[in-house]
Amino acid sequence: MTAHPAAAGPEPRDGSPAVPWSGGRALLDVVVIYIVALVAAQLLVVTAVLLRGGDGQVPLVVLLISSPIVLLVAALAWLRIRYGSKLALVAGRARWRPSDLGVGFALGLACFVGQQLLLSAIVWVLSQFGADTPPVQDTFRAIAEDPATAPALVVTAVLLAPAGEELLFRGVLFQGLRARWGFWAAAFGSAGLFTLAHLGDASGALADAIIVAGIMPLGLIFAALMERRGSLLACVVAHATYNAGGVGLLITAAAATQ
């Protein structure tokens, strides 16, 4: 299968180059990439189970590590096949700058602190109605509690997942929707699918609602960062910083109970 150029979408009003995966094409690309990555990750898990007999945390760790890797590889391969050299536009419309690192770190830290305050408020409200807060990160917690697998969680959440998810949701989806329908449609569309992709580790409607309350604003903020900076690097750093805070809490909590 050879690469073929696709017609570029309409030029954004700010004069930046339009990505060729504009509008509905971006949605199609994201769906294809996500399905391919999901199937590939599951095949790797099945292989691990067959080789190791499914004992212990092996399947969970394989899924944890393989998911963002195959997502990143599938996205880059699909965009290269579909759009050739225009794949480079996935990195953003602006040249990466050293300040992207500082801005991304500061915003990621602010997002982490803000979300902790929001979750604390949700827990307080639920307690006033006599309701227990449902667990929303059982899989990650189980991995963090095992000293043998905790390093895999750190590598995945801080390095691999931010790169793969930002490439897909801000590099491909946000930029593609923005080129056709403008910032707000792109921000809510990309944040909505970003949130939907994080609902797999919840247990029930209330847990899903808590995840939506925490992740949807995060997706909107990362979209605004992409719009403001024009740099995927800033989004990856912000996402990595936010995830590092969450992983740090899980590992600290696990160590405190041992």
Side-chain angles (χ1 to χ4, degrees), residues 115-209:
Q115 190 184 75
Q116 293 308 304
L117 294 174
L118 173 63
L119 292 177
S120 296
I122 291 174
V123 170
W124 181 83
V125 170
L126 290 176
S127 68
Q128 298 307 300
F129 289 92
D132 294 327
T133 305
V136 296
Q137 290 185 316
D138 280 348
T139 301
F140 293 150
R141 187 173 292 106
I143 294 174
E145 290 174 350
D146 187 344
T149 58
L153 180 61
V154 175
V155 172
T156 300
V158 179
L159 298 178
L160 301 178
E165 292 181 2
E166 290 308 309
L167 179 72
L168 187 67
F169 292 107
R170 256 60 66 179
V172 179
L173 187 57
F174 171 77
Q175 289 196 100
L177 297 181
R178 175 186 177 275
R180 179 73 64 177
W181 295 307
F183 170 74
W184 288 109
F188 278 95
S190 59
L193 287 183
F194 178 63
T195 303
L196 186 63
H198 285 80
L199 292 180
D201 196 32
S203 53
L206 182 56
D208 283 339

